[in-house]
Amino acid sequence: MHTLRGLRVLTFRGIHALAFRGLHALTFSGLHVLTFKGLHVLAIRGLHVLAFRGLHTFTFRGLHVLTFRGLHVLAFRGLHTLSFSGLHALTF
């Protein structure tokens, strides 16, 4: 572990971790994780997840999902769905 003015860094057998003033990051064998002031990001082998103050996104192999305060959107290979406050829509 290395420390320098509030910055903490750890490297061990392919694990890399960093912490600095509320920012935390970790990488290990294709896994990447980052957190900062309510923002959370995760990425591993084509899967990407993001969360921030009620907004959530998810992507994996052409599938895209977004949710935010009752709004739900899904997209996959030309198929798109939307749901919001009783409104439902589908396009393809």
Side-chain angles (χ1 to χ4, degrees), residues 3-36:
T3 61
L4 175 68
R5 294 185 183 190
L7 171 65
R8 294 182 298 275
V9 178
L10 169 75
T11 60
F12 179 75
R13 295 187 181 176
I15 300 172
H16 306 279
L18 178 142
F20 182 70
R21 295 184 182 174
L23 169 67
H24 300 87
L26 174 113
T27 65
F28 176 71
S29 184
L31 169 67
H32 306 276
V33 180
L34 178 127
T35 65
F36 181 68

Side-chain angles (χ1 to χ4, degrees), residues 4-81:
L4 175 68
R5 294 185 183 190
L7 171 65
R8 294 182 298 275
V9 178
L10 169 75
T11 60
F12 179 75
R13 295 187 181 176
I15 300 172
H16 306 279
L18 178 142
F20 182 70
R21 295 184 182 174
L23 169 67
H24 300 87
L26 174 113
T27 65
F28 176 71
S29 184
L31 169 67
H32 306 276
V33 180
L34 178 127
T35 65
F36 181 68
K37 294 185 178 180
L39 170 65
H40 306 279
V41 179
L42 179 138
I44 183 169
R45 297 184 182 146
L47 167 65
H48 301 88
V49 180
L50 180 142
F52 182 70
R53 295 184 181 170
L55 169 66
H56 301 85
T57 66
F58 168 92
T59 63
F60 183 70
R61 295 186 180 172
L63 170 65
H64 305 274
V65 179
L66 179 141
T67 65
F68 182 70
R69 296 184 182 170
L71 169 66
H72 305 277
V73 179
L74 181 140
F76 183 69
R77 296 184 182 170
L79 170 68
H80 302 86
T81 67

